[in-house]
Amino acid sequence: MMRTALIMISLFVLSGCSIKDVQPWEKETLANDRMQDNAGNTLFTKFENHIFFSKEGSKGGGGVAGGGCGCN
Amino acid sequence: MRPLILILFLTSLLFGYEKGDMLSQEIQDRLGIKTEKIYVIDFFASWCNSCEKEIPYISQVHQKVDPAQVEIIGIDVDKKIENALAFQKELIAKEALTFRVINDPENEIIKEFKPIGMPALFYIQDKKVVEVIYGAVDDIDEVIMADLERLKR
């Protein structure tokens, strides 16, 4: 009896750890621009990139744009 | 044997429509599906950029096909009906949306189909799903035209 109760309680508690999948049609909030990496923080990102590129000497190295000619 | 049948039935509820599946009577009624036509069901939403890009191409297909043989139906799955209507109005103004759209704010229709990605296209023939396309596809108009030609045979 005690064992069954323990199993039932464990199952009930563990069910709290389960994650409900987000379905493709439920991604409205996730598709929002504000949900993107560094969204709404462009100035800070620009500043951080400036430091990174100055230290690394790798302007343009943070993205895919540019051909590496240093002319942009 | 009975539990096995029950498990199989329950698992079938977890999955949506796949190729070869017959549409439920309720879905047939809601979409106005009849036997004599091939239907292309396009699931889209205002927040889905790929869907937005595909809609003008699908509208082009709609203008090319014979309405007696093929019908394209859009299902807008936006939960906020005002967003859905504004999005459709904008597309109609640009002449980018020419086919019939059913709004599904409660997501009752899409939950039956359960596509694994969006945009999603379901081809229906004889009340059965005969082809499915998930996600954005390049030159979708040409792809649909080729699929329709194949299905008409």
Side-chain angles (χ1 to χ4, degrees):
Chain A
M1 182 64 192
M2 189 66 183
R3 206 171 156 182
T4 317
L6 202 67
I7 291 170
M8 292 300 280
I9 292 166
S10 306
L11 281 175
F12 177 73
V13 171
L14 281 172
S15 70
C17 303
S18 64
I19 299 169
K20 195 172 166 278
D21 286 343
V22 179
Q23 299 295 338
W25 57 90
E26 296 171 335
K27 294 187 176 172
E28 182 173 1
T29 312
L30 289 172
N32 199 306
D33 284 343
R34 283 174 296 174
M35 294 298 278
Q36 305 308 311
D37 193 19
N38 279 319
N41 210 359
T42 42
L43 265 181
F44 185 69
T45 310
K46 214 172 166 184
F47 176 64
E48 255 192 346
N49 281 344
H50 178 75
I51 294 171
F52 179 76
F53 297 143
S54 307
K55 297 268 185 203
E56 297 287 326
S58 64
K59 181 158 173 56
V64 288
C69 61
C71 48
N72 45 4
Chain B
M1 190 65 189
R2 265 190 196 168
L4 188 69
I5 293 168
L6 185 71
I7 289 167
L8 283 173
F9 174 71
L10 289 173
T11 47
S12 72
L13 290 178
L14 288 174
F15 299 104
Y17 288 132
E18 286 171 18
K19 214 168 156 178
D21 289 347
M22 177 76 103
L23 297 187
S24 70
Q25 190 59 49
E26 194 194 338
I27 287 292
Q28 286 176 37
D29 294 343
R30 280 198 73 170
L31 303 184
I33 303 277
K34 308 222 166 40
T35 34
E36 61 268 22
K37 282 190 202 174
I38 299 171
Y39 292 87
V40 182
I41 316 287
D42 175 31
F43 288 96
F44 66 84
S46 65
W47 45 264
C48 168
N49 291 335
S50 312
C51 309
E52 191 179 352
K53 277 182 191 158
E54 277 194 0
I55 290 169
Y57 293 99
I58 298 170
S59 290
Q60 279 176 24
V61 174
H62 176 248
Q63 282 157 341
K64 278 184 209 164
V65 294
D66 176 8
Q69 286 187 316
V70 179
E71 188 177 348
I72 298 174
I73 306 171
I75 312 283
D76 192 325
V77 299
D78 271 287
K79 287 197 171 173
K80 289 177 190 153
I81 191 79
E82 61 271 22
N83 287 359
L85 296 175
F87 176 63
Q88 289 158 32
K89 200 176 163 188
E90 193 186 317
L91 287 172
I92 291 167
K94 286 192 278 184
E95 292 179 6
L97 174 64
T98 56
F99 50 88
R100 177 163 71 97
V101 174
I102 298 171
N103 290 307
D104 184 24
E106 301 296 325
N107 293 164
E108 290 160 347
I109 301 172
I110 198 165
K111 276 178 190 166
E112 287 272 322
F113 283 83
K114 286 199 180 71
I116 55 165
M118 279 191 44
L121 286 176
F122 286 79
Y123 294 73
I124 314 292
Q125 192 174 29
D126 296 329
K127 299 175 181 178
K128 273 185 186 171
V129 178
V130 285
E131 190 65 63
V132 188
I133 300 176
Y134 296 125
V137 176
D138 286 337
D139 303 319
I140 189 70
D141 50 339
E142 287 169 25
V143 173
I144 297 172
M145 287 306 280
D147 284 340
L148 289 173
E149 278 305 312
R150 189 169 45 81
L151 291 171
K152 274 182 207 166
R153 275 181 220 144

